[in-house]
Amino acid sequence: MSKEHKTGKEHKRSNFRLAIIDDQSHKQLWTVHFTRTSMFVAVITILVTLSAAIFSIIAYTPVRTFIPGYPDARSKKAAIQNAITIDSLETVIYKWGLYSENLKRVMEGMDPVKIDSLVNASMPTSARQANMEEIQRRDSLLREKVKQEEQFGISAQREKRDLPIEGVHFFSPLKGVISQGYNQVSHPYLDITAPQGTVVKAILDGTVIHAGWSNEFGNTVEIQHNGDIISIYKHNGSLLKKTGDKVTAGAPIALIGNTGELSTGPHLHLELWHKGTAVDPARYISF
């Protein structure tokens, strides 16, 4: 047998045929011819296509939620809500811890812990230095602004007069919009909205009897005036005066802010008291 004849026979053995035959009539209904290579390629193609289809169904359809341990929308929402709750609880615990520490220090005659010092201590050295430089720059600008504002202050050397409150000329503490008016029972003061950082001025000559922090009302200034009049300014962003300072009408005393637990935005909480009774500031002051 020649070599060419053997090669032809081997080549014929590598061909395959798949047929569907009627069992009764022995008629071929369907037939296909293939080789080992084509069969291998077909099997690989079918497996890849099937794998891609299964992956697509699992990845892009709700079927994936039936896989044990796979998080669904409700579990993700619950996880996010739990994280928010934990963060809120940590904030409350931190506030109460700081409050307890400050209360303990005050009762022992020590200075309270300043929040600014805690923030600075947690900052890197480079960030703290940059922060200090920015604070110094802003302080210089603020001092210049206050200096310009004070030149319009009314002189404290004017003659003191014992007038009824209706005859007193009040200086407007700022220009803003009254967001909530005076109500003798439920709201015996005014809320005046203004941009963050707006300068708050004293309404009359007087003496600062309190300048400090309150958890509910934030940075607060209280001024005693002649005629048994007291003015109170709450929720300030920062204070420009300290307890015991003498102020003149129109002198800057604070900057508008949003401090204190009861504040919902930048505004001035203004109270006016006359002979121990809260009165409506809008009756005597133009905003």
Side-chain angles (χ1 to χ4, degrees):
M1 185 178 295
S2 65
K3 185 176 181 180
E4 293 181 359
H5 185 68
K6 289 183 178 180
T7 304
K9 292 181 66 176
E10 291 176 359
H11 179 70
K12 289 181 179 180
R13 292 196 195 103
S14 63
N15 292 328
F16 298 91
R17 182 176 61 179
L18 180 63
I20 299 178
I21 301 173
D22 189 335
D23 188 47
Q24 295 180 352
S25 63
H26 300 285
K27 181 181 179 181
Q28 290 187 359
L29 303 178
W30 178 81
T31 181
V32 60
H33 297 271
F34 57 89
T35 62
R36 286 190 177 91
T37 303
S38 60
M39 181 179 66
F40 178 76
V41 172
V43 171
I44 295 298
T45 302
I46 293 172
L47 292 177
V48 171
T49 304
L50 185 61
S51 300
I54 295 174
F55 174 80
S56 299
I57 293 173
I58 295 177
Y60 302 108
T61 65
V63 174
R64 63 180 181 274
T65 58
F66 295 99
I67 300 176
Y70 191 91
D72 55 8
R74 285 182 295 180
S75 61
K76 289 182 179 179
K77 183 178 180 180
I80 294 173
Q81 188 63 40
N82 291 337
I84 295 174
T85 303
I86 292 173
D87 184 68
S88 300
L89 291 175
E90 288 179 348
T91 303
V92 172
I93 293 172
Y94 174 78
K95 287 183 178 179
W96 276 107
L98 183 60
Y99 175 78
S100 301
E101 179 64 22
N102 280 341
L103 182 61
K104 178 181 177 182
R105 284 174 171 266
V106 171
M107 295 183 66
E108 293 177 355
M110 301 171 61
D111 293 333
V113 177
K114 295 183 178 181
I115 298 178
D116 291 343
S117 62
L118 297 177
V119 174
N120 289 333
S122 62
M123 295 174 61
T125 304
S126 58
R128 186 161 57 247
Q129 183 178 359
N131 190 43
M132 287 300 299
E133 292 176 355
E134 179 66 14
I135 290 174
Q136 292 174 0
R137 185 185 69 82
R138 292 187 179 183
D139 182 68
S140 300
L141 296 176
L142 179 60
R143 288 178 183 274
E144 182 64 25
K145 185 176 181 179
V146 171
K147 184 178 179 181
Q148 294 176 1
E149 293 282 353
E150 285 187 336
Q151 66 180 341
F152 300 105
I154 302 174
S155 173
Q157 301 300 323
R158 66 183 181 180
E159 183 180 358
K160 297 179 180 178
R161 298 175 296 172
D162 188 11
L163 296 174
I165 189 171
E166 289 79 6
V168 177
H169 176 71
F170 292 91
F171 195 99
S172 178
L174 80 168
K175 292 298 181 182
V177 177
I178 298 177
S179 59
Q180 189 168 1
Y182 175 90
N183 184 286
Q184 187 175 5
V185 178
S186 62
H187 198 262
Y189 42 83
L190 292 181
D191 286 335
I192 309 163
T193 59
Q196 184 89 17
T198 301
V199 177
V200 179
K201 308 178 186 69
I203 60 175
L204 291 171
D205 295 351
T207 303
V208 178
I209 58 177
H210 172 73
W213 172 265
S214 167
N215 285 338
E216 292 181 343
F217 303 106
N219 291 314
T220 303
V221 181
E222 299 179 11
I223 303 177
Q224 177 71 62
H225 311 285
N226 293 328
D228 202 9
I229 298 174
I230 295 177
S231 59
I232 303 176
Y233 316 77
K234 298 179 179 180
H235 300 306
N236 299 289
S238 58
L239 304 180
L240 306 180
K241 300 295 182 181
K242 61 181 182 299
T243 303
D245 285 350
K246 300 288 186 180
V247 297
T248 58
I253 57 175
L255 298 179
I256 282 291
N258 182 28
T259 60
E261 297 175 352
L262 299 181
S263 179
T264 57
H267 75 286
L268 172 64
H269 169 118
L270 177 64
E271 298 180 21
L272 185 61
W273 294 77
H274 181 233
K275 294 183 179 181
T277 302
V279 297
D280 184 3
R283 294 182 57 187
Y284 313 104
I285 304 173
S286 174
F287 300 99

